[in-house]
Amino acid sequence: MRTALMLLFLLAVAAAPGSVLPQRNLGIEKVDAYRRANPELSVWLDRFGFFDVYASPWFAAIYLLLLTSLVGCVLPRLREHVQAIRRKPPVAPRHFARLPWHAEVGVSPSPAEEAGVRVRRVLRSRRYRVAVRTGAGGEVSIAAEKGYLKETGNLLFHFAVLAVLAGVAFGYGWGWYGNRILVAGPDTGFCTGLQQFDEYGLGPRLQPEDLPGFCLELGRFEAQFLDNGQPTVFQGDLTWTAPLQGRSGRHRLEVNAPLRLDGANVYLLGHGYAPILRYTDRQGRAQTSVSPFLPIDAMVTSEGAALFPDANADIRTGARSTDAQVAFGGVYVPTVPTTGPPALSAHPAERAPGLLLTAYRGNLGLETGVPQSVYEVPRRAIDSKRLAQLPGAAKMLRPGERWTLDDGTTLEFLGTRRWIAITIRHDPGEPIVLAAIIMLMAGLVATLAVRRRRVWIRVTPTTGGCTITAAGLPRSEYAGFADEFTSLVAAAGAATDTATAPQSVDGEAATGGVEPVSAAADNVRS
């Protein structure tokens, strides 16, 4: 058990870097940013797996050693506990006076055998495990024990810890997640393919084809706020279809009301606005972009970009232009303040919306195959001078307004759509962990609440009746044993019609002094 505790502490220490450092499975962009900020340190951190702590070999080694150690602790104790349950309570000690609690119950007119039967009934009625032994001369010795549930709870607790570890490991190996921004509208739905997620993570035991096949579409999304901007309601109408199963349905998606499907659950994480922009190029061809802008503060001031790589393409061949592609980057403000900076929203609701944009023209560099964010104007193209900001080309647009650029092309701000950020997750280890936590709590309650104790009652035949004596021994520190023992002795005396009844004075049995626990323990050992 000492080894298991050391490994448990070591596991907690090993998990700390996963909370401090960015992890690839949670956000690759954060890992890239950390690598750019700390290039030399990142080489060593990456070499030892600190950017993917929970999948590293050294973390898995500690995990497996902890499992092995716990199994080695629990199984022998389980075997001993089963043997103890099947074993009869131990024989009564010869000298009751050496035990912490002892008393003379009294003299009963009943025969020893009959008195023993009555005492046994009293003990059984109080849920003691009882063993009756008859000695030489007709002496009846009754041994009783109670509190086996304490060790049962202890074992249940440790088995629950094992189940938690196993459930977490199972969920990691066969679980998956995918995050996605879903814009409202029938033309922006998506299906659960890896290429359609903004970011995803698969367990090492899964393949892309193992993902369940279903599609999602966002209808109306409603968000309500107080005057100070505090949100009160987030809810969206989600339509889902499972083509392979021939099923479909609707669900009101809220923060605490996820959509639960076979194989995955859909949770609502956030929300925002997607400006609708229509750009008309030099040939008079119009293109419409619905681009989600990402919030940067609590008032949903949002930053984003709208890219038009097909602007000013060759009419005859359809080839993209290499110097007249267009991009717009800027800030969307749901409520433009009457005073102060116009680029900071005064309220998260669209009370006085405005879109502050900057125009760029050139080559966006999308054909290079280098991954880049769709929520900002390509920085690589700007740094390489392939994409240039138009001089003085910045403008605040209101819904319905049009902006004419220097070459006669136009941009119209048509309005916005709502979008939500969702995460789709499947963790097959969740039921195991839930059941294990319930077991753990039940075992902990039993371990802390139940006390192991033993009681012996000896019935010695005498002329015209029998003499009854009793002794008790709490197996662990138990402040309530004094009252329990006194009550038990009184019940045994009443059941056997003893002529004298025991008394309790200052917590001691009347006819026998109670020794201090430490001295009594020494006597028991001797």
Side-chain angles (χ1 to χ4, degrees), residues 353-389:
L355 182 61
L356 181 61
L357 292 177
T358 301
Y360 298 83
R361 185 183 295 128
N363 189 341
L364 298 177
L366 302 182
E367 293 83 2
T368 60
V370 178
Q372 54 189 343
S373 174
V374 298
Y375 303 110
E376 63 179 6
V377 178
R379 301 304 307 174
R380 293 178 182 270
I382 295 176
D383 296 339
S384 63
K385 309 298 183 182
R386 291 178 298 172
L387 187 66
Q389 179 180 340

Side-chain angles (χ1 to χ4, degrees), residues 13-54:
V13 173
S19 302
V20 176
L21 297 172
Q23 300 295 295
R24 284 193 176 91
N25 64 328
L26 298 180
I28 186 64
E29 69 282 352
K30 295 182 180 180
V31 176
D32 294 338
Y34 188 91
R35 291 169 65 94
R36 289 192 297 268
N38 306 275
E40 296 182 0
L41 178 61
S42 297
V43 173
W44 290 98
L45 292 177
D46 199 16
R47 182 173 298 175
F48 290 103
F50 281 96
F51 293 128
D52 204 0
V53 168
Y54 306 112

Side-chain angles (χ1 to χ4, degrees), residues 465-487:
C466 61
T467 302
I468 304 175
T469 57
L473 175 67
R475 298 291 303 278
S476 59
E477 187 176 349
Y478 178 27
F481 184 74
D483 294 335
E484 182 179 354
F485 181 75
T486 302
S487 173

Side-chain angles (χ1 to χ4, degrees), residues 120-202:
R120 177 178 177 276
R121 290 174 182 171
V122 171
L123 293 170
R124 291 296 298 271
S125 67
R126 299 188 177 213
R127 299 191 300 277
Y128 277 88
R129 293 178 64 244
V130 180
V132 180
R133 299 178 176 91
T134 303
E139 180 181 270
V140 178
S141 175
I142 304 170
E145 192 166 8
K146 190 176 183 181
Y148 283 93
L149 194 60
K150 181 180 181 67
E151 180 64 13
T152 303
N154 202 337
L155 289 171
L156 185 64
F157 177 87
H158 287 87
F159 272 112
V161 173
L162 275 174
V164 168
L165 295 176
V168 171
F170 182 61
Y172 174 77
W174 282 268
W176 65 275
Y177 77 93
N179 298 334
R180 163 84 184 207
I181 285 182
L182 181 58
V183 181
D187 57 332
T188 52
F190 82 105
C191 298
T192 53
L194 290 185
Q195 68 277 7
Q196 298 199 37
F197 286 114
D198 295 332
E199 59 180 1
Y200 63 86
L202 294 182

Side-chain angles (χ1 to χ4, degrees), residues 253-410:
L253 187 66
E254 300 181 39
V255 174
N256 294 319
L259 169 62
R260 302 187 184 278
L261 300 173
D262 293 338
N265 297 328
V266 182
Y267 300 90
L268 175 63
L269 297 181
H271 72 102
Y273 300 96
I276 306 173
L277 300 176
R278 182 165 62 196
Y279 177 73
T280 304
D281 63 11
R282 298 168 185 173
Q283 286 82 24
R285 294 178 301 183
Q287 305 173 47
T288 301
S289 170
V290 182
S291 304
F293 277 41
L294 303 182
I296 60 174
D297 61 21
M299 296 301 166
V300 201
T301 303
S302 306
E303 293 182 346
L307 310 181
F308 296 94
D310 295 323
N312 302 306
D314 191 301
I315 297 179
R316 293 171 299 175
T317 63
R320 287 181 174 177
S321 172
T322 58
D323 59 357
Q325 298 177 12
V326 179
F328 298 91
V331 178
Y332 177 69
V333 185
T335 301
V336 178
T338 55
T339 59
L344 290 177
S345 179
H347 195 270
E350 291 183 304
R351 295 179 173 178
L355 182 61
L356 181 61
L357 292 177
T358 301
Y360 298 83
R361 185 183 295 128
N363 189 341
L364 298 177
L366 302 182
E367 293 83 2
T368 60
V370 178
Q372 54 189 343
S373 174
V374 298
Y375 303 110
E376 63 179 6
V377 178
R379 301 304 307 174
R380 293 178 182 270
I382 295 176
D383 296 339
S384 63
K385 309 298 183 182
R386 291 178 298 172
L387 187 66
Q389 179 180 340
L390 298 184
K395 188 175 181 62
M396 172 71 79
L397 295 177
R398 303 285 185 167
E401 292 184 350
R402 177 178 297 184
W403 180 16
T404 302
L405 302 182
D406 58 350
D407 60 353
T409 60
T410 61

